[in-house]
Amino acid sequence: VLHSPLSRLDPTVLEVLRLGAYQLLAMRSVPAYAAVSQAVEQAREAAGDGAAALVNAVLRNLRAAGDGPARFPDAAADPLGFLETWGSHPRWLLERWLARWPLDEVRALVEANNRRPETYLVPLEVEPAEAIRILAAAGLEAEAVGEGTACVRLAEGVSPRDALAVLPRAIVQDPAAHLVTRYADVPEGTKVADLCAAPGGKALPVAHRSAYTLAADRSATRLRMLRDNARRTGRFLGLVVADALRPPLRGVDVVLLDVPCTGTGTLQRRPDARWRLRPAALEALVRVQGRMLDAAAELLPPGGLLVYSTCSLEPEENEIQLEAFLARHAEFSVEPTGAVPGQYLDAFGRLLVLPQRTGFDGAFAARLRRAA
Ligand SMILES: C[S@@+](CC[C@H](N)C(=O)[O-])C[C@H]1O[C@@H](n2cnc3c(N)ncnc32)[C@H](O)[C@@H]1O
């Protein structure tokens, strides 16, 4: 409802407008007249009478428009403009997604990203039904997610801290991330190295089946989180601060490589991330991921298993990255598994979880077997 670009506005006045708009449209506890008059006074104090008049006009207009998309580009006439503004997503990301999916699917993704995220627990030692009984006995409501995820969804208002207090051998994790672990299908009794392990979402569940799990990460701070999670869940793993580009290891059967990525599959949980992400960051990450894959491949003996995963939706980090790896490493091939329901697998036996189809986060993973 402003007639000049936001960039021309005094930054303090812009903040006042933002706070006022938030109070008017989202914070039902503040009466509209109070929100407007408070903002007008703040603008007057910060930038004088002209700013006060502007804030008054803009907020009154905004209030008249209501909290729907009335003042936004029309969804039918200008779908990209609508998704960019009303949907609050950068145009470059939308354009990438529109090149791959039909408009209604991109719209579903934008809506999924703007929904309040659910909180899920993965019980490590009991079935979801038993976890739900334990939580209920403590007055904490939860329900099974089903669909092969082995997760439970906490009811709105149930704090994960309270849930972990009665069910310590569990981790807080989205079903998409847990599907990666299930898809990895690490054989029992193997020696596993997780090269990007912190805070342990994959390493902790795997540690239960493996003979030994080494959890490595470049970040000591994040490894400390993993150590705390290991203590709570009663898991034994080796911890090492190490660079996945130069892993100081030998003699493992399985390598997990849950690489740093753009995280475009988890935008629902990180509302600011979409606006901080830049195309150049994608390019840089793709290069690092490729080098990490090469380093991980070096570690594995014939017959070894490499599990590559991301929480990105971008093909450069997923399918294209993988095809480039397989072109460089003819000794590896994708090995499908029946450990997750077929609805999460693509035609090549790779894991693909999409927020717009599942309501979960997004995830991609590939099991890569080195020829014996
Ligand atoms: C996607 S997160 C891993 C999440 C973890 N696997 C889980 O499920 O909880 C990526 C991790 O890679 C680590 N990382 C980034 N660059 C690295 C590098 N060069 N070597 C080792 N770890 C790195 C980050 O510190 C971060 O913890």
Side-chain angles (χ1 to χ4, degrees):
V1 298
L2 258 179
H3 297 301
S4 53
L6 290 187
S7 56
R8 295 244 294 274
L9 213 57
D10 176 320
T12 314
V13 175
L14 180 56
E15 288 308 316
V16 168
L17 279 175
R18 285 183 167 137
L19 289 170
Y22 181 72
Q23 288 187 324
L24 277 180
L25 303 180
M27 226 177 104
R28 305 284 173 200
S29 55
V30 182
Y33 70 85
V36 175
S37 76
Q38 188 188 39
V40 168
E41 281 321 306
Q42 284 174 333
R44 195 188 315 283
E45 222 172 274
D49 287 344
L54 176 94
V55 165
N56 189 33
V58 168
L59 291 184
R60 279 179 193 285
N61 250 325
L62 204 59
R63 188 181 162 196
D67 61 2
R71 297 261 180 183
F72 288 77
D74 182 67
D78 179 8
L80 195 54
F82 174 77
L83 293 177
E84 182 185 16
T85 55
W86 177 251
S88 186
H89 274 66
R91 187 167 276 250
W92 71 273
L93 259 188
L94 293 167
E95 281 170 346
R96 301 185 119 254
W97 296 342
L98 281 167
R100 279 169 70 196
W101 295 307
L103 177 61
D104 56 349
E105 193 161 349
V106 174
R107 188 172 172 160
L109 175 56
V110 164
E111 284 167 4
N113 289 343
N114 290 344
R115 228 169 275 136
R116 190 185 290 262
E118 308 269 9
T119 307
Y120 300 92
L121 283 194
V122 179
L124 296 181
E125 291 181 9
V126 295
E127 292 300 316
E130 176 63 10
I132 290 167
R133 272 195 293 279
I134 294 170
L135 292 166
L140 304 171
E141 195 189 328
E143 60 179 8
V145 177
E147 306 198 40
T149 65
C151 294
V152 304
R153 185 188 294 110
L154 298 183
E156 207 182 323
V158 172
S159 108
R161 184 187 293 263
D162 291 347
L164 289 178
V166 291
L167 197 66
R169 299 200 164 188
I171 54 176
V172 177
Q173 189 173 54
D174 187 90
H178 191 54
L179 281 165
V180 170
T181 310
R182 290 177 76 84
Y183 168 82
D185 197 13
V186 170
E188 277 189 35
T190 45
K191 281 176 274 170
V192 181
D194 184 344
L195 300 185
C196 296
K202 317 289 178 318
L204 294 170
V206 162
H208 202 43
R209 321 176 59 164
S210 67
Y212 181 75
T213 297
L214 184 80
D217 200 282
R218 194 178 59 175
S219 160
T221 314
R222 286 172 63 84
L223 262 186
R224 274 193 285 277
M225 292 159 67
L226 197 159
R227 181 196 59 194
D228 294 345
N229 288 334
R231 282 191 184 140
R232 191 191 68 247
T233 53
R235 292 292 179 278
F236 297 98
L237 336 85
L239 300 182
V240 59
V241 176
D243 187 345
L245 294 170
R246 282 174 289 276
L249 292 170
R250 281 286 169 272
V252 291
D253 311 306
V254 180
V255 170
L256 303 182
L257 193 61
D258 192 28
V259 289
C261 69
T262 55
T264 53
T266 59
L267 296 181
Q268 187 192 46
R269 297 187 185 279
R270 303 173 303 131
D272 56 326
R274 64 188 74 168
W275 294 111
R276 282 191 287 110
L277 189 61
R278 297 280 177 273
L282 169 65
E283 286 166 30
L285 283 161
V286 167
R287 278 194 297 276
V288 171
Q289 292 157 356
R291 290 173 56 208
M292 284 184 174
L293 269 165
D294 289 343
E298 288 287 302
L299 295 181
L300 282 167
L305 178 67
L306 169 58
V307 184
Y308 174 78
S309 57
T310 77
C311 58
S312 165
L313 305 179
E314 309 316 308
E316 292 88 335
E317 299 178 273
N318 298 341
E319 296 86 349
I320 296 175
Q321 181 72 271
L322 203 66
E323 276 152 30
F325 172 79
L326 292 173
R328 292 193 302 274
H329 296 270
E331 71 278 21
F332 281 89
S333 57
V334 175
E335 182 184 82
T337 167
V340 297
Q343 74 210 68
Y344 304 117
L345 300 175
D346 71 7
F348 303 95
R350 305 171 298 201
L351 181 85
L352 183 64
V353 187
L354 297 173
Q356 68 269 33
R357 296 191 195 158
T358 60
F360 307 148
D361 285 347
F364 174 86
R367 302 175 85 246
L368 301 160
R369 181 70 73 180
R370 184 171 189 154

